[in-house]
Amino acid sequence: MTGMHALVSRAISRWLRLLGWLALTAAVYLLIAWLTEGWRTDGLFVWPSAAVAVIAVLARGNAVAPAIFVAAWISNRDVAGWNLEASTLIAAADTLGPLVGLALLRRRRVGWNGFQTVGDTVWFIGAMGVLNAAICALGGQAAAALFGFGRAPVQQPFGLGWWVADMTSIVVLAPAADLIRRQWGKPMHLEINLENALLPAAAVFGTVVIFTWPATTPSALPFAFATLLLLPLLWSAMRLPLAVSMTATAAVCVLVVSSTLSNLGPLQSMAHTGRDIAVQVMVLSLSSTILIAGLLASERDRALKQLRDTNVNLEKKVSRRTAALQVSQATTQTQLRFQESLLNALPNPVAFCDPYGRFTRVNTAFNLLVGLGGPEIHGRTGAQILGPTLGRIWEEMDTQLLSGASSLSREAPLLLADHEPTVWILNKALVRDAVSRQVVGVVTSMQDITPLKRLQAQLSEDERRFRFLAEESPVPLVINRLSDSVLLYANKAAEEMFRGSYAERGGQSMLWLWPDAAEHDRLVERLYREGTIRGVEQMLRRFDGSTVWLLISVTRARYRDDDALIFAFKDITEAKERETALRTLAYTDALTGIPNRRHFLERAALDLADARREGQPVSVIVLDIDRFKQVNDTLGHHGGDMVIRCFARTCMAQLRGNDICGRLGGDEFAILLPQTNSKVAVEVAARLLRAIREARCMASLAGDRLSVTTSIGVAEHLPLDGNITIDELLDRADQALYRAKEGGRDRVELWAANGTVSG
């Protein structure tokens, strides 16, 4: 809402300002027209209201057209006394003229922003003085020809006079008014002195004296004196702001016109027609001359100011450049001294040669290497200083560089008298001029790599020994690159164990041998923390896809310039298989393959604790085979074992994935149902009851000799039971089983604190 109020307020303010301009334009136009008509009624040679229209259009644009039309119509109709048709046509022409002139000014390539240059003045005189006044004069001439002027007499021809009168008023008054409007409220840089104050005033005072002094006899002397008025006005235009000089010029012109209209001054003895033309030409030329002179002076002042600013900037740039050059020279000297010190401080020999291979500068290390001082080296070539072998390689590298190579590096032997043979690496590069980029020489850096070559030879020997020991070792050894697990080495024992050769798998990633890549990442993270890992059990794949259990030891090392992991393995597959078999014997019932009593009680105790902690229901089922002794007597012990296995399979087939079924002993079984209440548990028990009756394996074993059924007891862990144990919960289910036996067998009973409920 605040933004909307602001928009409305700004819109109202703009409309009020526009209405103010319209009212002011119309009022000033009418007032000046009334004063001008009242001054002289026998024909006018100036029409100041035309200047008012131009000033208003320059200030507010096309928006003031209604005010111009209304004021022109009223002045034509009521002040001049012309008829309705003529007044309307002339008002339209008086309105159209300034608008056409403004449109022409705006169509300039550089636009029009007031009186800034001589070009602006020429365009203004052409558009507003000539074209605008011509349109107004044509309107008046047309009105006279078509409608007449009513009670005002028509003097023919009068169009040329109308045109000159409007043009005179516009050129004399409009520039001064527009300059004052644009300068209004801005600071005016005016040098206050006696000349600036007196000369414009002298021009005005001289005009008053010359053009108001009554002449008794015709004489050209006063008219000659009148031309002297141009001098102070020109001086003002050259020295004062244009708004001041044009205001003084307009005042002089107004005085000239006013005095002549009052039959005073040097032109009073002339006939009206000649006198009018003389005054018009005089004030037109005077105003145009002063305006153009002032603009020329302004352009000269701007050019001089730009020149002074340019000179000042140039002087500043020269000063800065000089200072920068001095600093650069000092910096260059400092850098040269620093470079010389740095060059001599380098432990490696460094030498500079010109494009012809002659030494121009060497450091102290180079002097010590060849046993010669700087003066003995400068100007000589590599072959002359370094001997035939190294000198030949030196010059060959220089030739390659100068032929197009940017830098070179090569090993070369150095054989000097009274010195042991050494091996050096030569690093060469072109030296170019910083500005022209032309080659000015070659810089060579030498480094003694004799110890490195000896070390490389020793490492090669050590690697041969390592490979021999590793290849013949009975311990499987594998070396992988640390970054991507690429196989770098595998000995014979590792190839046999993983069933793949290094020749086939070298360069391939070994990460796929780990069934779980996360295990490999955890092993590497642990290696980072501990440095070495020993005896980690891990199952890996072989290259043929089979699995193997390994005891892994691993450490980090450098192998052939790579960070690597060295693995040592021990095959523990047989031990893991024995361990698995023993675990199976310890937790599995040998006859049925389901959890034995020990395993069932451990698992059931854990699930019961979880249910108690989470507030979830849990139920147990205890069941056995009805009259199992009769089954044994009928089928024999072997047949009884087969019935028990069939009974276990049937029970397992009816359970969910998280249910636990175990054999407690003999023909007695127990089932734990997690997250199951007694109602659902009774339904599961009833389903088991039917499945045992209908089991095919039972029918095939017993035939018609007997039927195999079961009795089932169900108990639920209740919230009021507290920390009841799995043994206590099984005891409750066993009590329910006993009640089922008493109730006739082949039935389900649910344990309750006040008794059992039949299923």
Side-chain angles (χ1 to χ4, degrees), residues 439-514:
V439 175
V440 295
V442 177
V443 60
T444 305
S445 173
M446 303 176 62
Q447 183 175 1
D448 186 1
I449 59 172
T450 305
L452 179 61
K453 299 297 287 185
R454 292 171 181 166
L455 179 60
Q456 288 177 345
Q458 183 64 41
L459 289 176
S460 297
E461 181 63 25
D462 292 343
E463 183 178 359
R464 285 192 295 271
R465 293 175 182 174
F466 164 77
R467 293 183 68 84
F468 173 78
L469 294 174
E471 286 291 341
E472 301 303 324
S473 173
V475 177
L477 296 176
V478 172
I479 302 177
N480 291 347
R481 190 157 56 209
L482 177 61
S483 60
D484 53 10
S485 298
V486 163
L487 179 62
L488 301 178
Y489 173 77
N491 67 353
K492 295 177 182 178
E495 290 177 349
E496 293 175 1
M497 185 184 69
F498 283 105
R499 300 174 184 174
S501 67
Y502 170 71
E504 298 175 349
R505 306 292 177 174
Q508 299 180 14
S509 174
M510 297 294 103
L511 196 59
W512 75 276
L513 296 178
W514 298 73

Side-chain angles (χ1 to χ4, degrees), residues 394-715:
W394 183 287
E395 293 178 353
E396 288 177 357
M397 293 177 68
D398 286 351
T399 302
Q400 293 179 21
L401 279 174
L402 294 173
S403 299
S406 58
S407 62
L408 289 175
S409 181
R410 187 185 298 180
E411 293 182 11
L414 177 62
L415 304 174
L416 295 176
D418 302 328
H419 287 78
E420 293 183 1
T422 55
V423 180
W424 294 76
I425 186 167
L426 306 182
N427 298 302
K428 285 179 172 286
L430 292 176
V431 180
R432 297 181 181 273
D433 183 81
V435 178
S436 65
R437 306 304 299 165
Q438 294 295 320
V439 175
V440 295
V442 177
V443 60
T444 305
S445 173
M446 303 176 62
Q447 183 175 1
D448 186 1
I449 59 172
T450 305
L452 179 61
K453 299 297 287 185
R454 292 171 181 166
L455 179 60
Q456 288 177 345
Q458 183 64 41
L459 289 176
S460 297
E461 181 63 25
D462 292 343
E463 183 178 359
R464 285 192 295 271
R465 293 175 182 174
F466 164 77
R467 293 183 68 84
F468 173 78
L469 294 174
E471 286 291 341
E472 301 303 324
S473 173
V475 177
L477 296 176
V478 172
I479 302 177
N480 291 347
R481 190 157 56 209
L482 177 61
S483 60
D484 53 10
S485 298
V486 163
L487 179 62
L488 301 178
Y489 173 77
N491 67 353
K492 295 177 182 178
E495 290 177 349
E496 293 175 1
M497 185 184 69
F498 283 105
R499 300 174 184 174
S501 67
Y502 170 71
E504 298 175 349
R505 306 292 177 174
Q508 299 180 14
S509 174
M510 297 294 103
L511 196 59
W512 75 276
L513 296 178
W514 298 73
D516 185 1
E519 290 289 340
H520 175 273
D521 295 340
R522 284 191 287 271
L523 184 69
V524 173
E525 291 176 1
R526 179 181 168 188
L527 182 65
Y528 275 115
R529 294 193 304 269
E530 301 178 11
T532 300
I533 296 176
R534 294 183 176 86
V536 174
E537 293 183 3
Q538 180 66 49
M539 185 181 69
L540 298 183
R541 295 189 188 95
R542 293 187 177 97
F543 288 116
D544 61 3
S546 61
T547 58
V548 58
W549 274 97
L550 299 172
L551 196 65
I552 302 175
S553 296
V554 59
T555 187
R556 289 181 61 187
R558 292 287 295 178
Y559 182 78
R560 294 181 178 175
D561 299 327
D562 282 317
D563 286 330
L565 299 179
I566 301 178
F567 291 90
F569 301 104
K570 181 179 180 182
D571 189 348
I572 57 171
T573 303
E574 293 183 2
K576 294 296 290 186
E577 289 174 351
R578 288 194 299 271
E579 180 183 335
T580 302
L582 291 174
R583 185 180 295 108
T584 300
L585 291 174
Y587 291 103
T588 304
D589 178 62
L591 179 62
T592 62
I594 65 176
N596 58 18
R597 179 184 185 90
R598 175 184 175 185
H599 191 197
F600 174 82
L601 291 177
E602 290 178 356
R603 288 281 308 279
L606 293 174
D607 283 6
L608 179 61
D610 291 341
R612 191 163 49 235
R613 182 173 59 255
E614 298 172 3
Q616 298 288 336
V618 64
S619 299
V620 294
I621 294 175
V622 176
L623 65 167
D624 66 2
I625 301 173
D626 292 335
R627 298 183 180 90
F628 184 67
K629 184 177 181 305
Q630 181 181 349
V631 172
N632 266 339
D633 292 343
T634 303
L635 302 177
H637 289 290
H638 178 70
D641 290 344
M642 295 179 68
V643 169
I644 289 176
R645 282 196 292 270
C646 176
F647 188 87
R649 288 198 302 272
T650 304
C651 290
M652 292 295 293
Q654 302 301 316
L655 300 182
R656 301 167 300 183
N658 59 344
D659 298 336
I660 304 171
C661 180
R663 183 184 179 194
L664 300 183
D667 64 328
E668 185 177 10
F669 294 80
I671 299 172
L672 182 80
L673 304 175
Q675 301 180 2
T676 305
N677 56 28
S678 59
K679 180 180 178 181
V680 177
V682 169
E683 294 175 356
V684 174
R687 192 165 62 246
L688 285 169
L689 205 68
R690 291 191 299 271
I692 295 299
R693 292 194 201 115
E694 300 169 358
R696 291 183 179 180
C697 58
M698 297 293 187
S700 63
L701 289 170
D704 297 332
R705 290 175 289 177
L706 52 85
S707 61
V708 179
T709 60
T710 182
S711 298
I712 302 176
V714 180

Side-chain angles (χ1 to χ4, degrees), residues 288-321:
S288 301
T289 300
I290 299 305
L291 182 59
I292 293 175
L295 289 173
L296 288 173
S298 298
E299 292 181 1
R300 180 204 61 190
D301 292 341
R302 285 196 295 270
L304 290 175
K305 183 178 182 302
Q306 291 177 355
L307 182 60
R308 287 194 297 270
D309 293 343
T310 302
N311 289 335
V312 170
N313 292 333
L314 184 60
E315 290 176 358
K316 290 181 179 178
K317 289 181 180 179
V318 170
S319 298
R320 288 196 297 267
R321 182 61 179 169

Side-chain angles (χ1 to χ4, degrees), residues 322-338:
T322 302
L325 185 59
Q326 293 174 348
V327 172
S328 176
Q329 290 176 344
T331 303
T332 302
Q333 294 296 327
T334 302
Q335 290 176 347
L336 289 175
R337 290 193 294 271
F338 173 75

